[in-house]
Amino acid sequence: MKYALKTNGNTAQLNISGTLTFAEAPLFPKILSELEAAGSLNSLDIRLGDLSFIDSTGMSLFVHIYDVSQNRNLKVSVQGASGPVAAALERAAFKTLFEFK
């Protein structure tokens, strides 16, 4: 997995590419701490166009992001999910947690 978090004022964009599996779980606290350190954000756009696979542990990152978003009143949208990634997120009912574009 590769990721990049970019901020611009009160908005942030998180790009995730490659595969998001149990092997990447040690990176989750780092991603979350970067989100926390980004200051007062109003919105987070998660871009998954280059993510080719996600397992249940990988999906737990989204649960953690949801928790952060609820604590900070942060609007989160997910863009570009397709194929097996989109199917996994749909099965997990993440559309009830985030806006999908």
Side-chain angles (χ1 to χ4, degrees):
M1 172 189 79
K2 290 184 182 179
Y3 80 94
L5 179 65
K6 300 175 188 175
T7 60
N8 184 10
N10 291 337
T11 63
Q13 179 179 316
L14 176 61
N15 294 306
I16 302 175
S17 61
T19 61
L20 186 54
T21 67
F22 69 93
E24 288 78 36
L27 289 175
F28 296 176
K30 182 179 179 197
I31 295 169
L32 296 170
S33 69
E34 286 182 33
L35 274 173
E36 290 287 343
S40 61
L41 297 173
N42 294 331
S43 64
L44 171 64
D45 182 24
I46 303 172
R47 299 200 176 190
L48 303 177
D50 293 324
L51 186 65
S52 59
F53 180 78
I54 189 168
D55 69 5
S56 59
T57 303
M59 287 189 289
S60 73
L61 175 60
F62 292 92
V63 174
H64 294 299
I65 290 173
Y66 177 77
D67 290 341
V68 169
S69 73
Q70 293 301 292
N71 292 335
R72 297 181 65 186
N73 198 27
L74 178 66
K75 180 182 176 188
V76 179
S77 66
V78 177
Q79 293 187 6
S82 63
V85 173
L89 295 175
E90 188 170 323
R91 279 191 308 274
F94 280 10
K95 288 185 178 183
T96 62
L97 303 178
F98 307 114
E99 176 184 7
F100 276 71
K101 297 179 180 179

